[in-house]
Amino acid sequence: MFKRIKRIFCKHKYLPYANVFGDHINYMNCRTVLLCPKCGKRKYVGDFIEAPFNYNELMMYIHIAEHDGEETADKICGEYLVRDRELLHKFFEDCQEIERRSKKR
């Protein structure tokens, strides 16, 4: 309940989170998933924006981890999950900066 209220009053600062490839583009009607680090709300956009994660591999990782465990998921798709390490570090730095700014208020 609190999470939904937080999302309503959040001033979203969306960051590129994951790129969508293949059949998922048609299924989800988007090419990029944006994420607000303050409240966790996702936004799906049709434009391709360079992002750190591969959405298809992320969903496969979650599915395998639920059924066969995280170690098996790491072996199968761990190396393909992160598309760009530099973008990943920038994503987390931006998230931390947004969190610091929101705590000052």
Side-chain angles (χ1 to χ4, degrees):
M1 181 71 176
F2 178 71
K3 211 175 202 182
R4 290 184 187 194
I5 293 171
K6 186 176 180 181
R7 283 185 183 169
I8 291 172
F9 295 106
C10 180
K11 294 179 182 175
H12 304 297
K13 167 90 169 89
Y14 291 107
L15 299 175
Y17 177 66
N19 292 122
V20 181
F21 298 99
D23 291 339
H24 279 87
I25 293 171
N26 296 329
Y27 177 71
M28 298 173 61
N29 196 25
C30 76
R31 293 186 184 274
T32 305
V33 179
L34 305 176
L35 178 75
C36 176
K38 291 193 283 186
C39 68
K41 184 174 181 178
R42 289 176 293 207
K43 183 177 182 180
Y44 302 93
V45 295
D47 297 331
F48 183 85
I49 303 167
E50 212 43 58
F53 289 105
N54 178 334
Y55 185 83
N56 302 35
E57 293 292 331
L58 184 62
M59 291 298 106
M60 183 170 36
Y61 181 88
I62 291 169
H63 180 74
I64 293 170
E66 287 175 350
H67 290 71
D68 300 322
E70 289 183 25
E71 289 181 20
T72 306
D74 285 340
K75 289 177 187 174
I76 293 174
C77 52
E79 67 183 74
Y80 302 108
L81 190 59
V82 176
R83 293 187 63 240
D84 188 338
R85 298 257 180 227
E86 288 179 24
L87 279 174
L88 179 67
H89 293 298
K90 184 180 180 328
F91 175 79
F92 285 115
E93 286 172 5
D94 290 348
C95 289
Q96 290 172 349
E97 181 63 30
I98 289 169
E99 191 174 315
R100 270 189 244 116
R101 286 182 187 171
S102 65
K103 286 184 179 179
K104 288 181 181 177
R105 291 181 187 172

